[in-house]
Amino acid sequence: MAADFRLRFGRCLLFLMTFSFSQAFYIPGWSIKSYKDNEAIPLMVNKVYSDNTQLQYAYYDLPFVCPPTGVNHAGSSLLSGQTISLNLGEVLRGDRIAQSDIELVMGKDQECNFLCSKTVTRKDLKRAREMVKDGYVAEWIVDNLPGATSFVTVDKSKKYYAAGFKMGYRDISTVGKSRYYINNHLTIVMRYRKAPGRDGDRGGKVVVGFEVYTKSIGGQRNACPADINDVEEPFELYLRPNHTDFSVQYPESSYHPPESESDMEDGATLDIPYSYSVYWREDDKIEWAHRWDLYFVNQEEGSRIHWLAIVNSLIISGALSVIVAMILARTIRTDIKSYKEAAAEDGKMRAKRRSRPASGTRTPKLTEKTGGLLEQVGDTENDADVSSDEEPLEDVSGWKLLHGDVFRAPAYGYLLAPLVGSGMQLVFMAVGLLVLSSLGVLNPSFRGGFVSVGVGLFVFAGLFSGYFSGRVYKTFGGLNWRKNTFITATLFPGLLFALIFILNLFVWAQASSTAIPFGTLVGIIMLWLCIQLPLVYAGSWYGYVRTGAWEHPTKTTTLPRQLPAQAWYIRSPHSILLAGLIPFAVIFIELLFVFQSLWQDKSGYYYVFGFLSVVSIILILTIAEVTIVTIYIKLCSEDYNWWWHSFMVGGGSAIWVFLYCVWYYFTKLHIQGFVSSLLFFSYSFMACVVYGLLCGTVGFLTAYAFVRRIYGAIKAD
């Protein structure tokens, strides 16, 4: 069986490695759109975000940018400022996409267009300075491509993109004080090429690049500057106080004094002019199907590190495979063989003892007592029961002594069954997301698709959640399966929703687009109660009523055995931590890329789902092997309380992942503010709970199959 399993795993690993080269490739032909010369192309504005905070804001909610005019522009059916319909994933990730007033025309350059002059107060300027200080960048969208800041490698051999453009910059003066400037002029460079196929023969063109170059221009009023390339000074986000003593004490060229609270209410205003330029450049080097490749930074260097992660994972998993093979091939087979030989020898001895009275009996003396027929029969039955399931053999030791207790129902089994069901639900969701992402179905052009599909898979997987929860609950001897169904459908989803709702209160107070709208929350509740709950009920009914409990190879005795003293490394807390460290060692290199994509490079995209799939397969195999070794050691110590222990050992690496999150927060991130820190640790906690449930379920089911196999083998002929 072990050889067949390794063969299947090897084929699966080879299959997934082929997709690791694809790096979540872009599927050609999806949503391709071509434009003719002089055809208008809408430009959409989305949100602003920063790597130093978890709070995002809708672009048009900012008080210092040009507000929408509400005019209907060519190329779009929406009015300026009108938002487009978003999928669930886009809403959850904080997108707020709206039509802008900027007009783009295919192939038509525009030297300079004046957009607006925004009048701002001191409070608005203070808000702008804070956002520039936090490093906020804005995201605009053209033809589903985010506007990007372009960079070139040191040797100028390669070019790559960072999605978004900075809203301003900070300059530190000679006296060590900071001044803040806003980028109020944007140069938009659109790159295009001939459309593929017949559409290109008819003059169609496709967009393959969207670059934004920023500039801060001061001195202009309600028109473009005379020469954009020759600007005397940038536009500073500052209003001098109106007090005369400040004007005398601080001349124009010196450091600006800070604004007091009284200055904030003096009614002073400042006009910020905004303008933009548009240039179209043909680029035949970039295929439309690969236009997202520029957003994937450092692909070659990252690929080498990913291969290093896979090699590291294979070494750890291979070492564990050798240990498990030794346990299965040598130790357990030897134990089972000796157990059968002892049972056969014991049976022969007892048969001889039972046959002695039949060969000739001694007449008892008058002083001896003779037993009646019932007593003789009872003695014979007791002799026969010595080798039954209820009483072990005299020369048997270790895990074989537990055959009458190993399948005893665990304490709080009514909680373990729903946790296993929720874990299977997450396993189905994770496998579906990895497969679809590795095939390229879920790619960056499908904005919000990863989250939307993940929610859909999670809801549909309620069937698997109910089925496994019902069967495990029936195996534990549970009687009220409807109560178990309700707990399964509400325990993990309820905890998740409650935590999200509490976090939403903090984000709502910050007026951030990260906050989930009330209507979306209602929709999520309806998905939960109206779709997932019935699916969990159906799966639980089938698993509990129709399929029933798993059959065990040995019978459970009435009275439990007394547990001997356990070594320190077998005790639950120590065993969980030590065993959890091994799966963490398998994934910690890949975790670095995932964390960097999630927390540091919000403008980047995680794209190597092929590598992630391979590492995930190795992780599951490692968890299964670690659980087998740990449970075998526990059973050899004559401790039959393995149900919860197998689940905890399987999910034990979640503790190390959370500690890794804490280390990453203090050493790699520069998150500022209480709400942003709260969001980071809350999201990290939720992710570790999901990871722990998923891995814990893998460990539980692996241990259950292992225990049934070895105890079934000692009863087999």
Side-chain angles (χ1 to χ4, degrees):
M1 182 189 73
D4 293 340
F5 176 76
R6 287 193 293 268
L7 181 60
R8 296 192 194 100
F9 171 73
R11 292 174 179 174
C12 182
L13 186 64
L14 181 62
F15 175 75
L16 288 174
M17 280 185 174
T18 58
F19 288 112
S20 67
F21 291 103
S22 65
Q23 300 178 344
F25 58 87
Y26 190 93
I27 295 182
W30 278 36
S31 304
I32 185 170
K33 183 174 177 56
S34 61
Y35 303 92
K36 299 293 182 62
D37 287 334
N38 298 321
E39 182 178 353
I41 304 175
L43 186 147
M44 318 297 288
V45 298
N46 188 7
K47 61 185 178 183
V48 296
Y49 52 87
S50 171
D51 296 337
N52 299 322
T53 177
Q54 303 306 313
L55 298 176
Q56 306 174 9
Y57 299 94
Y59 182 82
Y60 276 144
D61 288 345
L62 303 180
F64 53 88
V65 302
C66 288
T69 59
V71 177
N72 188 1
H73 294 276
S76 175
S77 59
L78 301 175
L79 300 178
S80 172
Q82 186 176 353
T83 58
I84 66 173
S85 299
L86 304 175
N87 58 48
L88 180 60
E90 290 175 310
V91 175
L92 294 179
R93 68 193 294 265
D95 288 350
R96 302 295 184 266
I97 304 176
Q99 174 66 45
S100 73
D101 285 304
I102 296 179
E103 296 182 349
L104 303 178
V105 181
M106 172 60 73
K108 182 179 179 181
D109 293 346
Q110 304 175 46
E111 291 296 332
C112 183
N113 283 346
F114 183 77
L115 191 59
C116 79
S117 182
K118 175 63 176 177
T119 302
V120 296
T121 63
R122 293 187 186 274
K123 289 184 177 180
D124 299 335
L125 286 176
K126 182 180 179 181
R127 175 79 181 281
R129 286 195 297 269
E130 291 175 349
M131 300 195 75
V132 171
K133 180 181 178 181
D134 290 337
Y136 272 89
V137 298
E139 182 182 286
W140 290 1
I141 302 171
V142 173
D143 194 44
N144 204 31
L145 273 181
T149 303
S150 64
F151 299 92
V152 180
T153 56
V154 177
D155 57 359
K156 297 182 180 181
S157 60
K158 293 183 180 180
K159 178 181 180 181
Y160 62 92
Y161 284 170
F165 58 89
K166 285 189 172 294
M167 305 196 69
Y169 63 94
R170 180 174 65 172
D171 182 33
I172 300 178
S173 62
T174 56
V175 295
K177 302 297 181 179
S178 298
R179 293 186 176 183
Y180 300 93
Y181 302 90
I182 192 168
N183 294 321
N184 57 340
H185 180 83
L186 303 177
T187 299
I188 300 173
V189 177
M190 302 299 304
R191 301 194 178 275
Y192 68 96
R193 64 169 297 151
K194 179 182 176 182
R198 296 180 179 178
D199 202 11
D201 298 336
R202 293 193 292 265
K205 298 179 175 61
V206 293
V207 176
V208 295
F210 176 21
E211 303 169 8
V212 181
Y213 300 91
T214 59
K215 196 176 187 65
S216 182
I217 300 177
Q220 68 182 96
R221 295 305 178 193
N222 295 328
C224 290
D227 188 357
I228 297 178
N229 297 321
D230 185 15
V231 178
E232 296 181 358
E233 61 181 12
F235 195 97
E236 186 177 2
L237 294 169
Y238 182 74
L239 265 175
R240 294 183 62 83
N242 293 326
H243 303 296
T244 56
D245 55 341
F246 280 167
S247 301
V248 175
Q249 185 177 358
Y250 300 97
E252 287 289 340
S253 60
S254 68
Y255 163 66
H256 296 328
E259 297 171 318
S260 63
E261 292 295 331
S262 59
D263 293 328
M264 293 294 173
E265 306 295 336
D266 63 0
T269 60
L270 178 69
D271 292 334
I272 303 179
Y274 287 92
S275 57
Y276 67 95
S277 303
V278 181
Y279 298 96
W280 292 85
R281 297 293 181 265
E282 187 172 5
D283 193 338
D284 293 331
K285 297 180 181 179
I286 305 174
E287 296 289 341
W288 186 90
H290 299 283
R291 61 179 185 168
W292 281 89
D293 291 352
L294 292 174
Y295 295 87
F296 303 148
V297 184
N298 298 328
Q299 294 186 55
E300 293 183 0
E301 180 181 356
S303 297
R304 289 193 294 268
I305 299 177
H306 287 298
W307 280 114
L308 176 63
I310 290 178
V311 172
N312 169 75
S313 303
L314 287 174
I315 292 174
I316 297 175
S317 179
L320 283 172
S321 299
V322 173
I323 296 175
V324 173
M326 291 176 62
I327 292 176
L328 294 176
R330 297 183 59 184
T331 308
I332 293 181
R333 288 185 179 179
T334 303
D335 288 349
I336 293 174
K337 182 179 179 181
S338 62
Y339 178 88
K340 291 182 178 181
E341 291 176 352
E345 186 66 25
D346 186 76
K348 293 178 180 179
M349 294 297 294
R350 296 188 187 281
K352 290 181 179 180
R353 286 199 296 266
R354 287 195 299 269
S355 64
R356 283 175 185 173
S359 62
T361 58
R362 179 178 59 87
T363 305
K365 298 180 180 179
L366 296 174
T367 56
E368 292 179 337
K369 294 182 179 180
T370 58
L373 179 61
L374 293 177
E375 293 180 3
Q376 295 176 9
V377 173
D379 293 339
T380 303
E381 291 177 351
N382 289 335
D383 289 342
D385 287 343
V386 170
S387 61
S388 65
D389 290 340
E390 285 73 15
E391 296 186 21
L393 299 173
E394 294 179 358
D395 59 345
V396 173
S397 61
W399 60 272
K400 299 176 292 298
L401 287 173
L402 303 179
H403 65 93
D405 296 275
V406 71
F407 294 109
R408 189 178 303 279
Y412 306 105
Y414 59 88
L415 289 179
L416 181 57
L419 290 178
V420 172
S422 298
M424 284 304 301
Q425 188 175 10
L426 294 171
V427 167
F428 178 84
M429 180 192 73
V431 171
L433 287 176
L434 285 177
V435 170
L436 293 176
S437 299
S438 299
L439 293 175
V441 176
L442 300 180
N443 54 72
S445 69
F446 186 8
R447 194 181 305 274
F450 191 86
V451 178
S452 299
V453 174
V455 172
L457 291 174
F458 180 80
V459 171
F460 175 75
L463 280 171
F464 299 92
S465 174
Y467 174 79
F468 280 90
S469 176
R471 290 206 70 178
V472 173
Y473 182 72
K474 185 66 174 291
T475 303
F476 290 162
L479 301 176
N480 193 347
W481 70 275
R482 289 184 175 85
K483 179 181 178 182
N484 176 73
T485 300
F486 179 78
I487 295 176
T488 304
T490 57
L491 181 61
F492 173 71
L495 173 66
L496 190 64
F497 181 82
L499 188 57
I500 291 177
F501 181 78
I502 294 173
L503 291 177
N504 229 33
L505 297 179
F506 289 93
V507 182
W508 270 335
Q510 301 293 323
S512 170
S513 65
T514 309
I516 303 175
F518 180 76
T520 304
L521 285 176
V522 174
I524 293 176
I525 294 177
M526 298 302 292
L527 281 175
W528 174 21
L529 299 180
C530 298
I531 299 180
Q532 181 188 333
L533 185 58
L535 290 175
V536 173
Y537 183 88
S540 183
W541 173 83
Y542 189 81
Y544 186 93
V545 178
R546 294 294 299 273
T547 308
W550 279 292
E551 295 182 359
H552 295 151
T554 61
K555 298 179 181 179
T556 302
T557 58
T558 304
L559 297 177
R561 292 175 54 87
Q562 185 177 0
L563 299 179
Q566 302 294 317
W568 68 269
Y569 56 87
I570 302 177
R571 296 169 189 168
S572 292
H574 306 86
S575 179
I576 292 170
L577 288 176
L578 291 175
L581 187 59
I582 300 176
F584 173 74
V586 171
I587 63 171
F588 83 97
I589 297 179
E590 195 66 31
L591 273 181
L592 184 64
F593 287 90
V594 176
F595 280 23
Q596 184 177 358
S597 177
L598 288 176
W599 304 117
Q600 284 187 283
D601 299 333
K602 296 188 183 69
S603 60
Y605 301 93
Y606 187 84
Y607 57 93
V608 283
F609 285 100
F611 284 111
L612 184 62
S613 299
V614 175
V615 173
S616 299
I617 293 288
I618 301 174
L619 171 66
I620 292 175
L621 180 63
T622 303
I623 291 173
E625 293 170 339
V626 168
T627 307
I628 289 175
V629 174
T630 306
I631 296 304
Y632 177 72
I633 295 175
K634 191 175 185 66
L635 294 177
C636 287
S637 302
E638 300 180 14
D639 186 357
Y640 55 84
N641 295 317
W642 62 273
W643 299 95
W644 276 103
H645 193 72
S646 64
F647 187 86
M648 294 298 181
V649 166
S653 59
I655 300 175
W656 294 101
V657 173
F658 187 77
L659 293 177
Y660 186 79
C661 293
V662 176
W663 172 84
Y664 196 85
Y665 173 84
F666 287 105
T667 59
K668 299 293 184 180
L669 301 181
H670 305 285
I671 295 179
Q672 303 172 359
F674 170 76
V675 176
S676 295
S677 300
L678 178 65
L679 290 176
F680 173 83
F681 285 107
S682 299
Y683 290 156
S684 299
F685 174 76
M686 285 190 292
C688 290
V689 169
V690 170
Y691 173 80
L693 283 175
L694 192 153
C695 297
T697 301
V698 173
F700 174 85
L701 295 178
T702 302
Y704 187 37
F706 171 72
V707 172
R708 290 184 63 191
R709 183 64 181 268
I710 62 175
Y711 282 95
I714 66 175
K715 306 306 292 183
D717 293 334

